[in-house]
Amino acid sequence: MRIAIAGAGNVGRSIAQELLDKGHQVLLIERSPAAVRPERVPDAEWMLADACELSSLTDAELDSCDVVVAATGDDKANLVVSLLAKTEFAVNRVVARVNRAENEWLFNEQWGVDVSVSKPRLMAALVEEAVSVGDLVRLMTFRQGQANLVEITLPSDGPHVGKPVREVPLPRDTALVGIVRGRRVLVPSLDDPIEAGDELVFVCVPEVETEVRRVILGGAPTPPGGD
């Protein structure tokens, strides 16, 4: 893919290097001359420009990008970049960095954002994930809340411990996408058993999170219309 990243600070450069290592083409757009350091990410294309200016994004040929990442340290700039990328250049996927938690509510489809990444929220989720056994932890939200990445660490008394994945009656619109077992990351097949201590990673719609938790951890079914 061709990916444009607005902001060549530590975050932007780190994202760029990760994407380059995976074989993608990356353009870094930075408005500060002092921050334009091509030697730090030599395989990326660099552009000295203000990504909040429509003319700059036109020169960057943003309409040829598959993804735009708004990764500056300024939430206002990230919102402007996201809106321009989506409305003026019809970029298929726009990912935006949220620097201040109180601004998170702004990063939605009205501002052109497909996925927002809030460092405070992500860090809180990772803390929960590290200490929570027997509870559901939301790690990330996709498509403005249409689907979530959630994790449950399976306790020893879980009703499906030792059973293969095929026998776990997951609700609709739910997929078990990974099992973290010790130092191993497993792509689950239908015949793989789940074990106590497994970190089960699901993608599901928000409406069924309670049901996913009930199935994995046990308990009475949620009555129709219940919370």
Side-chain angles (χ1 to χ4, degrees), residues 107-128:
F107 286 72
N108 56 37
E109 60 185 5
Q110 291 182 319
W111 279 95
V113 179
D114 293 306
V115 178
S116 62
V117 181
S118 169
K119 291 198 294 183
R121 178 180 290 272
L122 182 58
M123 291 179 70
L126 291 173
V127 169
E128 285 188 279

Side-chain angles (χ1 to χ4, degrees), residues 14-38:
S14 296
I15 296 170
Q17 191 60 62
E18 290 283 341
L19 293 170
L20 287 164
D21 290 343
K22 295 182 184 299
H24 301 296
Q25 297 179 343
V26 175
L27 166 65
L28 277 163
I29 306 173
E30 173 56 52
R31 69 177 183 177
S32 170
V36 178
R37 304 287 296 276

Side-chain angles (χ1 to χ4, degrees), residues 30-52:
E30 173 56 52
R31 69 177 183 177
S32 170
V36 178
R37 304 287 296 276
E39 70 277 7
R40 293 190 175 185
V41 191
D43 293 328
E45 179 184 353
W46 287 73
M47 180 177 181
L48 176 61
D50 186 346
C52 292

Side-chain angles (χ1 to χ4, degrees), residues 70-169:
T72 79
D74 184 334
D75 284 344
K76 295 188 294 294
N78 289 342
L79 287 171
V80 171
V81 171
S82 299
L83 185 62
L84 291 175
K86 184 65 71 173
T87 59
E88 299 294 331
F89 300 94
V91 175
N92 183 54
R93 192 160 183 82
V94 177
V95 180
R97 170 189 177 187
V98 184
N99 295 280
R100 298 178 66 86
E102 61 267 29
N103 295 331
E104 188 173 359
W105 65 278
L106 287 166
F107 286 72
N108 56 37
E109 60 185 5
Q110 291 182 319
W111 279 95
V113 179
D114 293 306
V115 178
S116 62
V117 181
S118 169
K119 291 198 294 183
R121 178 180 290 272
L122 182 58
M123 291 179 70
L126 291 173
V127 169
E128 285 188 279
E129 186 272 335
V131 301
S132 298
V133 175
D135 204 355
L136 182 147
V137 178
R138 184 179 297 172
L139 299 176
M140 188 171 292
T141 297
F142 303 106
R143 291 292 182 184
Q144 302 309 314
Q146 296 180 37
N148 294 322
L149 185 71
V150 302
E151 182 267 352
I152 300 177
T153 299
L154 192 63
S156 58
D157 59 351
H160 303 290
V161 171
K163 295 182 180 179
V165 171
R166 68 170 68 250
E167 294 184 15
V168 181

